[in-house]
Amino acid sequence: FQHYFKQINLSKHHIMEFLEPRTEVAEQKILCCECGTLVAPNPANMCVACIRTRVDVSEGIPKQAILHFCRFCERYLQPPNTWIPCTLESRELLALCLKKLKGLNKVRLVDASFIWTEPHSKRVKVNITIQGEAMGAILQQSFVVEYTVHYQMCEICCRQKGSDGEAWKALVQIRQRTVHKKTLFYLEQLILKHEMHRDAMNIKEMEGGINFYYTAKNNARKMVDFLLSVIPCQYKTSQELVSHDIQSNVFNYKYTYFVEITPICKDEVVCLTGSISRYLNHMSQIAICTRISDNIHLMDPCTLKIGQLNAQQFFKDQFGAICHQRQLREFMVMNVEPIRSKEKQYGSYSTKHVLADVWVLPLNCLGTDDDEIHTRSHLGGVLQCGDYVLGFDVEHAVVNNPVFDKVKQRPDIILVKKIYPNKMKRNKGRNFKLKRMQRMTSVSETATENGDYNDFLEDLEEDPDLRKNVNMYKKEEWMKMKLMKMKLM
């Protein structure tokens, strides 16, 4: 070593200072244990090339994945339930492909780009470059991920194409053989209240009923069980073989459930058979249907005797309605005399109604010399002189029913329900709304259907037992709900 001395002249003194020499330490290197290359010391005692041959940074990242593509709307599925529109080799598709790789968040992504493939090959290839730490060294690696495009219909396309027989696996057909749709309107409100329409991929209105399309058999069976619990009905099942795999012995079926609702509706005059009359404690064979629930509720208007029939009993010995609501005639009440005491025989009697003797006159006979018609009715608690009432004129009616022809004791008139004037004013001044199901219609909406819906709304206003099973909304709340839906859209 060479020593350097510096002489510093201070006042009156001379001091000699010793300076340390500047030494440069050479970097130490070792030999790679695999190839003998001179490298810097590291925990693995290997060069980067040898570490790369032993360690795979992309381990845990799948090299193959699946993309679900809807051919009808040309959108890709972003799990779990979002469908986004993407074009080939776009930034949106690249982001979707990278999100499909699970282990990509454990390394550092450097670059990603598409590799050109044939558009009809159903393959998408992405070249990915990543960096990761292994044995104390930072390694960079590039690899190719191949995506296979599988076709799958989105929910919107399933609803549009489901009724054409392309996607559904199970079908529930609801039918009722009546001249009006009041029972179907009531059933619609029950389905909305219990949210039984959520699993349906499509709802289509047909002539005489509604079709519900499902992607699974269990959902259709769930709907059938619900219908059996809320309305009197029966069902039949059928299945159609779509395809059969001989190798794996797998059968693909389409299932159909046909649900038939009893044709008896509220406020209809029916003619019971002899066996059913005896089953209901010898009720009069001419009765009125007062309510429809899971059973058919019947009442004799002349004695207030009531009875119930379930669907099994009805379809075992069926009977029909001899007068629908559209066939009822309007009468004006001239006098009402309630019957205070009445000897009741065995059986159940209604406590909500009041039996009374009523004298009525048809509206078209007002101002004439026609005599008043006497009848006994269950509407004694709501009728007063001058009221209007709907009734069935038994004496002048033409009924094509063999059971009705054998009935000996018949009343001249059967009063069914009280009506109120100014019907148009009531419809405009109604302060509540009902939800409706979003469905595809194969039949045009007619004025008759609108009249049936208004009649159903009037029944809700007049019958508290019917209202308790229906969700009714005020007009102010209804407008708020519509505004919220518009904002979400």
Side-chain angles (χ1 to χ4, degrees), residues 363-422:
L363 286 184
N364 56 359
C365 296
L366 292 177
T368 62
D369 296 334
D370 293 347
D371 296 333
E372 298 176 358
I373 306 174
H374 170 263
T375 185
R376 185 162 288 183
S377 175
H378 63 291
L379 302 176
V382 296
L383 291 183
Q384 296 179 359
C385 294
D387 289 344
Y388 296 93
V389 64
L390 289 177
F392 176 44
D393 192 353
V394 181
E395 186 178 359
H396 300 90
V398 178
V399 180
N400 186 13
N401 192 322
V403 180
F404 178 79
D405 297 336
K406 297 178 182 178
V407 178
K408 297 181 180 180
Q409 296 181 354
R410 306 176 190 171
D412 294 335
I413 292 178
I414 299 177
L415 302 183
V416 178
K417 62 181 295 188
K418 179 182 177 181
I419 58 175
Y420 300 89
N422 300 326

Short mmCIF file of all heavy atoms in Angstrom, two decimals, residues 363-422:
data_model
loop_
_atom_site.label_atom_id
_atom_site.label_comp_id
_atom_site.label_asym_id
_atom_site.label_seq_id
_atom_site.Cartn_x
_atom_site.Cartn_y
_atom_site.Cartn_z
N LEU A 363 -136.04 -4.43 -15.37
CA LEU A 363 -135.85 -3.04 -15.74
C LEU A 363 -136.63 -2.69 -17.00
O LEU A 363 -137.10 -1.55 -17.14
CB LEU A 363 -134.36 -2.75 -15.94
CG LEU A 363 -133.50 -2.66 -14.68
CD1 LEU A 363 -132.08 -2.27 -15.04
CD2 LEU A 363 -134.07 -1.66 -13.68
N ASN A 364 -136.74 -3.62 -17.92
CA ASN A 364 -137.47 -3.32 -19.15
C ASN A 364 -138.98 -3.33 -18.95
O ASN A 364 -139.73 -3.03 -19.88
CB ASN A 364 -137.09 -4.30 -20.26
CG ASN A 364 -137.31 -5.75 -19.85
OD1 ASN A 364 -137.73 -6.03 -18.72
ND2 ASN A 364 -137.02 -6.67 -20.75
N CYS A 365 -139.43 -3.70 -17.75
CA CYS A 365 -140.87 -3.71 -17.46
C CYS A 365 -141.29 -2.57 -16.55
O CYS A 365 -142.44 -2.54 -16.08
CB CYS A 365 -141.26 -5.05 -16.82
SG CYS A 365 -141.02 -6.47 -17.90
N LEU A 366 -140.37 -1.64 -16.25
CA LEU A 366 -140.73 -0.51 -15.39
C LEU A 366 -141.71 0.40 -16.13
O LEU A 366 -141.53 0.71 -17.32
CB LEU A 366 -139.47 0.27 -15.00
CG LEU A 366 -138.48 -0.45 -14.08
CD1 LEU A 366 -137.26 0.44 -13.84
CD2 LEU A 366 -139.13 -0.81 -12.75
N GLY A 367 -142.74 0.84 -15.42
CA GLY A 367 -143.76 1.69 -16.03
C GLY A 367 -144.86 0.94 -16.72
O GLY A 367 -145.73 1.54 -17.35
N THR A 368 -144.84 -0.39 -16.62
CA THR A 368 -145.90 -1.21 -17.24
C THR A 368 -146.79 -1.78 -16.13
O THR A 368 -146.57 -1.56 -14.93
CB THR A 368 -145.27 -2.35 -18.06
OG1 THR A 368 -144.51 -3.18 -17.19
CG2 THR A 368 -144.37 -1.79 -19.14
N ASP A 369 -147.78 -2.55 -16.55
CA ASP A 369 -148.73 -3.13 -15.60
C ASP A 369 -148.32 -4.53 -15.15
O ASP A 369 -149.16 -5.26 -14.58
CB ASP A 369 -150.12 -3.19 -16.24
CG ASP A 369 -150.66 -1.79 -16.54
OD1 ASP A 369 -150.23 -0.86 -15.83
OD2 ASP A 369 -151.48 -1.66 -17.46
N ASP A 370 -147.09 -4.92 -15.42
CA ASP A 370 -146.65 -6.26 -15.03
C ASP A 370 -146.59 -6.37 -13.52
O ASP A 370 -146.24 -5.41 -12.80
CB ASP A 370 -145.28 -6.57 -15.63
CG ASP A 370 -145.34 -6.68 -17.14
OD1 ASP A 370 -146.46 -6.76 -17.67
OD2 ASP A 370 -144.26 -6.66 -17.78
N ASP A 371 -146.93 -7.56 -13.03
CA ASP A 371 -146.92 -7.80 -11.59
C ASP A 371 -145.49 -7.98 -11.09
O ASP A 371 -144.59 -8.44 -11.83
CB ASP A 371 -147.75 -9.04 -11.26
CG ASP A 371 -149.22 -8.85 -11.60
OD1 ASP A 371 -149.68 -7.68 -11.59
OD2 ASP A 371 -149.89 -9.86 -11.90
N GLU A 372 -145.27 -7.64 -9.84
CA GLU A 372 -143.97 -7.86 -9.21
C GLU A 372 -143.74 -9.35 -9.00
O GLU A 372 -144.67 -10.11 -8.76
CB GLU A 372 -143.91 -7.13 -7.88
CG GLU A 372 -144.05 -5.62 -8.00
CD GLU A 372 -144.08 -4.93 -6.65
OE1 GLU A 372 -144.02 -5.67 -5.64
OE2 GLU A 372 -144.15 -3.69 -6.61
N ILE A 373 -142.48 -9.74 -9.10
CA ILE A 373 -142.11 -11.16 -8.98
C ILE A 373 -141.53 -11.38 -7.59
O ILE A 373 -140.64 -10.64 -7.16
CB ILE A 373 -141.10 -11.55 -10.06
CG1 ILE A 373 -141.65 -11.20 -11.45
CG2 ILE A 373 -140.77 -13.03 -9.98
CD1 ILE A 373 -140.66 -11.42 -12.57
N HIS A 374 -142.04 -12.39 -6.93
CA HIS A 374 -141.57 -12.70 -5.57
C HIS A 374 -140.53 -13.82 -5.64
O HIS A 374 -140.66 -14.78 -6.41
CB HIS A 374 -142.74 -13.13 -4.68
CG HIS A 374 -142.29 -13.70 -3.37
ND1 HIS A 374 -142.17 -15.06 -3.14
CD2 HIS A 374 -141.90 -13.08 -2.21
CE1 HIS A 374 -141.76 -15.27 -1.91
NE2 HIS A 374 -141.58 -14.09 -1.33
N THR A 375 -139.52 -13.68 -4.80
CA THR A 375 -138.49 -14.72 -4.67
C THR A 375 -137.89 -14.64 -3.28
O THR A 375 -138.05 -13.63 -2.56
CB THR A 375 -137.39 -14.57 -5.73
OG1 THR A 375 -136.49 -15.68 -5.63
CG2 THR A 375 -136.61 -13.28 -5.52
N ARG A 376 -137.21 -15.67 -2.92
CA ARG A 376 -136.49 -15.70 -1.63
C ARG A 376 -134.99 -15.67 -1.94
O ARG A 376 -134.50 -16.45 -2.76
CB ARG A 376 -136.85 -16.96 -0.85
CG ARG A 376 -136.25 -17.02 0.54
CD ARG A 376 -136.99 -18.02 1.40
NE ARG A 376 -138.33 -17.52 1.76
CZ ARG A 376 -139.17 -18.16 2.55
NH1 ARG A 376 -138.84 -19.34 3.05
NH2 ARG A 376 -140.36 -17.65 2.82
N SER A 377 -134.29 -14.75 -1.26
CA SER A 377 -132.89 -14.51 -1.61
C SER A 377 -132.03 -14.43 -0.36
O SER A 377 -132.52 -14.17 0.75
CB SER A 377 -132.77 -13.21 -2.42
OG SER A 377 -131.42 -12.89 -2.66
N HIS A 378 -130.73 -14.63 -0.59
CA HIS A 378 -129.74 -14.52 0.48
C HIS A 378 -129.19 -13.11 0.63
O HIS A 378 -128.30 -12.88 1.46
CB HIS A 378 -128.58 -15.48 0.18
CG HIS A 378 -127.84 -15.13 -1.09
ND1 HIS A 378 -128.40 -15.28 -2.34
CD2 HIS A 378 -126.59 -14.63 -1.30
CE1 HIS A 378 -127.53 -14.90 -3.26
NE2 HIS A 378 -126.43 -14.50 -2.65
N LEU A 379 -129.67 -12.16 -0.16
CA LEU A 379 -129.14 -10.79 -0.15
C LEU A 379 -129.98 -9.85 0.69
O LEU A 379 -129.99 -8.64 0.46
CB LEU A 379 -129.08 -10.27 -1.60
CG LEU A 379 -128.23 -11.07 -2.58
CD1 LEU A 379 -128.35 -10.49 -3.98
CD2 LEU A 379 -126.78 -11.08 -2.13
N GLY A 380 -130.68 -10.38 1.69
CA GLY A 380 -131.53 -9.53 2.51
C GLY A 380 -130.77 -8.50 3.31
O GLY A 380 -131.33 -7.47 3.69
N GLY A 381 -129.48 -8.72 3.58
CA GLY A 381 -128.71 -7.77 4.38
C GLY A 381 -128.18 -6.59 3.60
O GLY A 381 -127.76 -5.60 4.20
N VAL A 382 -128.20 -6.64 2.27
CA VAL A 382 -127.63 -5.56 1.47
C VAL A 382 -128.63 -4.90 0.55
O VAL A 382 -128.35 -3.85 -0.03
CB VAL A 382 -126.43 -6.09 0.63
CG1 VAL A 382 -125.30 -6.54 1.53
CG2 VAL A 382 -126.87 -7.22 -0.30
N LEU A 383 -129.80 -5.50 0.38
CA LEU A 383 -130.79 -4.95 -0.56
C LEU A 383 -131.76 -4.01 0.15
O LEU A 383 -132.16 -4.25 1.30
CB LEU A 383 -131.58 -6.08 -1.22
CG LEU A 383 -130.81 -6.97 -2.20
CD1 LEU A 383 -131.75 -8.00 -2.82
CD2 LEU A 383 -130.14 -6.15 -3.29
N GLN A 384 -132.12 -2.94 -0.55
CA GLN A 384 -133.14 -2.00 -0.11
C GLN A 384 -134.04 -1.67 -1.30
O GLN A 384 -133.71 -1.98 -2.45
CB GLN A 384 -132.51 -0.72 0.44
CG GLN A 384 -131.68 -0.93 1.70
CD GLN A 384 -131.05 0.35 2.21
OE1 GLN A 384 -131.21 1.41 1.60
NE2 GLN A 384 -130.34 0.25 3.33
N CYS A 385 -135.15 -1.01 -1.01
CA CYS A 385 -136.06 -0.64 -2.09
C CYS A 385 -135.39 0.35 -3.03
O CYS A 385 -134.77 1.32 -2.59
CB CYS A 385 -137.34 -0.02 -1.50
SG CYS A 385 -138.33 -1.17 -0.53
N GLY A 386 -135.48 0.09 -4.32
CA GLY A 386 -134.86 0.95 -5.32
C GLY A 386 -133.49 0.49 -5.77
O GLY A 386 -132.93 1.09 -6.69
N ASP A 387 -132.92 -0.55 -5.16
CA ASP A 387 -131.61 -1.06 -5.58
C ASP A 387 -131.74 -1.88 -6.85
O ASP A 387 -132.81 -2.36 -7.21
CB ASP A 387 -130.99 -1.92 -4.47
CG ASP A 387 -130.55 -1.10 -3.28
OD1 ASP A 387 -130.43 0.14 -3.44
OD2 ASP A 387 -130.33 -1.68 -2.20
N TYR A 388 -130.59 -2.03 -7.49
CA TYR A 388 -130.51 -2.85 -8.70
C TYR A 388 -129.78 -4.15 -8.37
O TYR A 388 -128.81 -4.16 -7.60
CB TYR A 388 -129.77 -2.12 -9.82
CG TYR A 388 -130.48 -0.88 -10.30
CD1 TYR A 388 -130.17 0.37 -9.75
CD2 TYR A 388 -131.46 -0.93 -11.28
CE1 TYR A 388 -130.81 1.52 -10.18
CE2 TYR A 388 -132.11 0.20 -11.71
CZ TYR A 388 -131.78 1.43 -11.15
OH TYR A 388 -132.43 2.56 -11.57
N VAL A 389 -130.26 -5.23 -8.97
CA VAL A 389 -129.70 -6.54 -8.67
C VAL A 389 -129.69 -7.36 -9.95
O VAL A 389 -130.54 -7.19 -10.84
CB VAL A 389 -130.55 -7.23 -7.57
CG1 VAL A 389 -131.96 -7.51 -8.05
CG2 VAL A 389 -129.89 -8.51 -7.07
N LEU A 390 -128.70 -8.25 -10.04
CA LEU A 390 -128.59 -9.19 -11.15
C LEU A 390 -129.19 -10.52 -10.74
O LEU A 390 -128.90 -11.03 -9.64
CB LEU A 390 -127.13 -9.38 -11.57
CG LEU A 390 -126.44 -8.22 -12.28
CD1 LEU A 390 -124.98 -8.57 -12.55
CD2 LEU A 390 -127.14 -7.88 -13.58
N GLY A 391 -130.00 -11.09 -11.60
CA GLY A 391 -130.65 -12.35 -11.28
C GLY A 391 -130.83 -13.22 -12.50
O GLY A 391 -130.70 -12.78 -13.65
N PHE A 392 -131.14 -14.47 -12.23
CA PHE A 392 -131.36 -15.47 -13.28
C PHE A 392 -132.85 -15.74 -13.36
O PHE A 392 -133.47 -16.23 -12.40
CB PHE A 392 -130.58 -16.75 -12.96
CG PHE A 392 -130.82 -17.88 -13.92
CD1 PHE A 392 -130.85 -17.67 -15.29
CD2 PHE A 392 -131.05 -19.16 -13.46
CE1 PHE A 392 -131.08 -18.70 -16.18
CE2 PHE A 392 -131.28 -20.21 -14.32
CZ PHE A 392 -131.29 -19.97 -15.69
N ASP A 393 -133.41 -15.41 -14.51
CA ASP A 393 -134.85 -15.61 -14.73
C ASP A 393 -135.08 -17.07 -15.12
O ASP A 393 -134.99 -17.46 -16.28
CB ASP A 393 -135.34 -14.66 -15.83
CG ASP A 393 -136.86 -14.60 -15.90
OD1 ASP A 393 -137.51 -15.40 -15.20
OD2 ASP A 393 -137.38 -13.76 -16.66
N VAL A 394 -135.37 -17.88 -14.12
CA VAL A 394 -135.50 -19.32 -14.34
C VAL A 394 -136.75 -19.64 -15.16
O VAL A 394 -136.74 -20.54 -16.01
CB VAL A 394 -135.53 -20.06 -12.98
CG1 VAL A 394 -135.65 -21.57 -13.19
CG2 VAL A 394 -134.30 -19.73 -12.16
N GLU A 395 -137.81 -18.87 -14.96
CA GLU A 395 -139.08 -19.18 -15.61
C GLU A 395 -139.01 -19.01 -17.12
O GLU A 395 -139.59 -19.82 -17.87
CB GLU A 395 -140.18 -18.28 -15.03
CG GLU A 395 -141.57 -18.62 -15.54
CD GLU A 395 -142.63 -17.74 -14.91
OE1 GLU A 395 -142.26 -16.88 -14.06
OE2 GLU A 395 -143.81 -17.90 -15.24
N HIS A 396 -138.28 -17.99 -17.60
CA HIS A 396 -138.23 -17.73 -19.03
C HIS A 396 -136.91 -18.16 -19.68
O HIS A 396 -136.66 -17.83 -20.84
CB HIS A 396 -138.44 -16.23 -19.29
CG HIS A 396 -139.74 -15.71 -18.79
ND1 HIS A 396 -139.89 -15.21 -17.53
CD2 HIS A 396 -140.97 -15.65 -19.38
CE1 HIS A 396 -141.15 -14.81 -17.34
NE2 HIS A 396 -141.84 -15.09 -18.46
N ALA A 397 -136.06 -18.83 -18.95
CA ALA A 397 -134.75 -19.21 -19.48
C ALA A 397 -134.86 -20.53 -20.25
O ALA A 397 -135.69 -21.40 -19.95
CB ALA A 397 -133.73 -19.35 -18.36
N VAL A 398 -134.01 -20.66 -21.24
CA VAL A 398 -133.90 -21.90 -22.01
C VAL A 398 -132.57 -22.55 -21.62
O VAL A 398 -131.50 -22.05 -21.95
CB VAL A 398 -133.95 -21.64 -23.52
CG1 VAL A 398 -133.79 -22.94 -24.29
CG2 VAL A 398 -135.25 -20.94 -23.90
N VAL A 399 -132.65 -23.65 -20.88
CA VAL A 399 -131.47 -24.32 -20.34
C VAL A 399 -131.35 -25.69 -20.98
O VAL A 399 -132.30 -26.49 -20.93
CB VAL A 399 -131.54 -24.44 -18.81
CG1 VAL A 399 -130.30 -25.15 -18.27
CG2 VAL A 399 -131.71 -23.07 -18.17
N ASN A 400 -130.22 -25.95 -21.56
CA ASN A 400 -129.97 -27.26 -22.18
C ASN A 400 -129.17 -28.10 -21.20
O ASN A 400 -127.95 -28.24 -21.29
CB ASN A 400 -129.20 -27.06 -23.49
CG ASN A 400 -129.03 -28.37 -24.25
OD1 ASN A 400 -129.67 -29.37 -23.94
ND2 ASN A 400 -128.15 -28.36 -25.24
N ASN A 401 -129.89 -28.65 -20.23
CA ASN A 401 -129.26 -29.46 -19.19
C ASN A 401 -130.23 -30.55 -18.78
O ASN A 401 -131.32 -30.25 -18.27
CB ASN A 401 -128.89 -28.58 -17.98
CG ASN A 401 -127.98 -29.30 -17.00
OD1 ASN A 401 -128.13 -30.49 -16.75
ND2 ASN A 401 -127.04 -28.56 -16.44
N PRO A 402 -129.90 -31.82 -18.98
CA PRO A 402 -130.85 -32.90 -18.64
C PRO A 402 -131.12 -32.99 -17.15
O PRO A 402 -132.23 -33.39 -16.74
CB PRO A 402 -130.17 -34.16 -19.17
CG PRO A 402 -128.72 -33.80 -19.29
CD PRO A 402 -128.67 -32.36 -19.58
N VAL A 403 -130.14 -32.63 -16.32
CA VAL A 403 -130.37 -32.69 -14.87
C VAL A 403 -131.34 -31.59 -14.45
O VAL A 403 -132.21 -31.80 -13.59
CB VAL A 403 -129.03 -32.56 -14.12
CG1 VAL A 403 -129.25 -32.60 -12.61
CG2 VAL A 403 -128.08 -33.66 -14.54
N PHE A 404 -131.22 -30.42 -15.07
CA PHE A 404 -132.10 -29.31 -14.73
C PHE A 404 -133.55 -29.62 -15.12
O PHE A 404 -134.49 -29.19 -14.43
CB PHE A 404 -131.61 -28.04 -15.44
CG PHE A 404 -132.47 -26.83 -15.21
CD1 PHE A 404 -132.37 -26.12 -14.03
CD2 PHE A 404 -133.38 -26.42 -16.17
CE1 PHE A 404 -133.17 -25.00 -13.81
CE2 PHE A 404 -134.18 -25.30 -15.96
CZ PHE A 404 -134.07 -24.59 -14.77
N ASP A 405 -133.75 -30.36 -16.19
CA ASP A 405 -135.11 -30.70 -16.62
C ASP A 405 -135.82 -31.62 -15.63
O ASP A 405 -137.06 -31.63 -15.57
CB ASP A 405 -135.07 -31.35 -18.00
CG ASP A 405 -134.52 -30.41 -19.08
OD1 ASP A 405 -134.61 -29.18 -18.87
OD2 ASP A 405 -134.00 -30.91 -20.10
N LYS A 406 -135.04 -32.38 -14.84
CA LYS A 406 -135.64 -33.30 -13.89
C LYS A 406 -135.93 -32.66 -12.53
O LYS A 406 -136.57 -33.29 -11.67
CB LYS A 406 -134.72 -34.50 -13.68
CG LYS A 406 -134.49 -35.32 -14.95
CD LYS A 406 -133.54 -36.47 -14.69
CE LYS A 406 -133.27 -37.26 -15.98
NZ LYS A 406 -132.30 -38.36 -15.75
N VAL A 407 -135.43 -31.44 -12.32
CA VAL A 407 -135.68 -30.76 -11.04
C VAL A 407 -137.13 -30.29 -11.01
O VAL A 407 -137.58 -29.57 -11.91
CB VAL A 407 -134.71 -29.57 -10.86
CG1 VAL A 407 -135.01 -28.84 -9.56
CG2 VAL A 407 -133.26 -30.06 -10.88
N LYS A 408 -137.84 -30.65 -9.96
CA LYS A 408 -139.27 -30.33 -9.87
C LYS A 408 -139.51 -28.96 -9.23
O LYS A 408 -140.30 -28.17 -9.73
CB LYS A 408 -139.99 -31.43 -9.09
CG LYS A 408 -139.93 -32.80 -9.76
CD LYS A 408 -140.66 -33.84 -8.95
CE LYS A 408 -140.60 -35.21 -9.63
NZ LYS A 408 -141.31 -36.25 -8.86
N GLN A 409 -138.85 -28.69 -8.10
CA GLN A 409 -139.06 -27.43 -7.40
C GLN A 409 -138.03 -26.41 -7.87
O GLN A 409 -136.84 -26.55 -7.59
CB GLN A 409 -138.97 -27.64 -5.88
CG GLN A 409 -140.04 -28.55 -5.32
CD GLN A 409 -139.92 -28.71 -3.82
OE1 GLN A 409 -138.99 -28.23 -3.20
NE2 GLN A 409 -140.90 -29.41 -3.24
N ARG A 410 -138.50 -25.41 -8.59
CA ARG A 410 -137.61 -24.38 -9.10
C ARG A 410 -138.15 -23.01 -8.69
O ARG A 410 -139.36 -22.76 -8.81
CB ARG A 410 -137.53 -24.42 -10.63
CG ARG A 410 -137.16 -25.75 -11.22
CD ARG A 410 -137.22 -25.65 -12.73
NE ARG A 410 -137.10 -26.95 -13.39
CZ ARG A 410 -137.29 -27.14 -14.67
NH1 ARG A 410 -137.65 -26.12 -15.45
NH2 ARG A 410 -137.16 -28.34 -15.21
N PRO A 411 -137.31 -22.13 -8.24
CA PRO A 411 -137.75 -20.74 -7.98
C PRO A 411 -137.93 -20.00 -9.30
O PRO A 411 -137.30 -20.33 -10.32
CB PRO A 411 -136.61 -20.16 -7.15
CG PRO A 411 -135.41 -20.97 -7.51
CD PRO A 411 -135.92 -22.35 -7.83
N ASP A 412 -138.78 -18.98 -9.28
CA ASP A 412 -139.00 -18.21 -10.50
C ASP A 412 -137.77 -17.38 -10.86
O ASP A 412 -137.42 -17.26 -12.04
CB ASP A 412 -140.22 -17.29 -10.32
CG ASP A 412 -141.50 -18.08 -10.16
OD1 ASP A 412 -141.53 -19.24 -10.65
OD2 ASP A 412 -142.45 -17.56 -9.54
N ILE A 413 -137.13 -16.80 -9.87
CA ILE A 413 -135.95 -15.96 -10.08
C ILE A 413 -134.93 -16.29 -9.00
O ILE A 413 -135.30 -16.49 -7.83
CB ILE A 413 -136.30 -14.45 -10.04
CG1 ILE A 413 -137.18 -14.06 -11.23
CG2 ILE A 413 -135.05 -13.59 -10.03
CD1 ILE A 413 -137.61 -12.62 -11.22
N ILE A 414 -133.66 -16.32 -9.39
CA ILE A 414 -132.55 -16.50 -8.44
C ILE A 414 -131.71 -15.23 -8.48
O ILE A 414 -131.08 -14.93 -9.51
CB ILE A 414 -131.71 -17.72 -8.79
CG1 ILE A 414 -132.55 -19.00 -8.73
CG2 ILE A 414 -130.52 -17.84 -7.84
CD1 ILE A 414 -131.80 -20.25 -9.14
N LEU A 415 -131.72 -14.47 -7.42
CA LEU A 415 -130.93 -13.24 -7.33
C LEU A 415 -129.49 -13.61 -6.97
O LEU A 415 -129.26 -14.38 -6.02
CB LEU A 415 -131.52 -12.29 -6.29
CG LEU A 415 -132.98 -11.86 -6.52
CD1 LEU A 415 -133.41 -10.88 -5.46
CD2 LEU A 415 -133.14 -11.26 -7.92
N VAL A 416 -128.55 -13.06 -7.71
CA VAL A 416 -127.15 -13.46 -7.55
C VAL A 416 -126.35 -12.40 -6.82
O VAL A 416 -125.69 -12.67 -5.82
CB VAL A 416 -126.52 -13.76 -8.93
CG1 VAL A 416 -125.05 -14.12 -8.77
CG2 VAL A 416 -127.26 -14.90 -9.61
N LYS A 417 -126.36 -11.15 -7.28
CA LYS A 417 -125.53 -10.11 -6.67
C LYS A 417 -126.14 -8.74 -6.90
O LYS A 417 -126.88 -8.52 -7.87
CB LYS A 417 -124.11 -10.14 -7.23
CG LYS A 417 -124.03 -9.86 -8.72
CD LYS A 417 -122.59 -9.92 -9.23
CE LYS A 417 -121.75 -8.83 -8.63
NZ LYS A 417 -120.42 -8.74 -9.23
N LYS A 418 -125.81 -7.84 -5.98
CA LYS A 418 -126.25 -6.45 -6.09
C LYS A 418 -125.29 -5.70 -7.00
O LYS A 418 -124.08 -5.92 -6.97
CB LYS A 418 -126.29 -5.82 -4.71
CG LYS A 418 -126.71 -4.36 -4.69
CD LYS A 418 -126.68 -3.80 -3.28
CE LYS A 418 -127.03 -2.32 -3.27
NZ LYS A 418 -126.99 -1.74 -1.89
N ILE A 419 -125.83 -4.79 -7.80
CA ILE A 419 -125.00 -3.98 -8.69
C ILE A 419 -125.20 -2.52 -8.33
O ILE A 419 -126.21 -2.13 -7.71
CB ILE A 419 -125.33 -4.23 -10.18
CG1 ILE A 419 -126.80 -3.93 -10.46
CG2 ILE A 419 -124.96 -5.64 -10.57
CD1 ILE A 419 -127.16 -4.04 -11.93
N TYR A 420 -124.24 -1.72 -8.73
CA TYR A 420 -124.25 -0.30 -8.41
C TYR A 420 -124.26 0.51 -9.70
O TYR A 420 -123.60 0.13 -10.69
CB TYR A 420 -123.02 0.07 -7.56
CG TYR A 420 -122.96 -0.68 -6.25
CD1 TYR A 420 -122.33 -1.94 -6.17
CD2 TYR A 420 -123.56 -0.17 -5.11
CE1 TYR A 420 -122.28 -2.63 -4.97
CE2 TYR A 420 -123.51 -0.86 -3.90
CZ TYR A 420 -122.87 -2.09 -3.84
OH TYR A 420 -122.83 -2.77 -2.66
N PRO A 421 -124.96 1.63 -9.72
CA PRO A 421 -124.98 2.45 -10.94
C PRO A 421 -123.66 3.17 -11.15
O PRO A 421 -122.74 3.10 -10.33
CB PRO A 421 -126.13 3.44 -10.66
CG PRO A 421 -126.18 3.54 -9.18
CD PRO A 421 -125.80 2.19 -8.64
N ASN A 422 -123.58 3.88 -12.27
CA ASN A 422 -122.39 4.66 -12.63
C ASN A 422 -121.13 3.77 -12.67
O ASN A 422 -120.13 3.99 -11.99
CB ASN A 422 -122.16 5.82 -11.67
CG ASN A 422 -123.33 6.79 -11.66
OD1 ASN A 422 -123.98 6.99 -12.68
ND2 ASN A 422 -123.61 7.37 -10.49
#
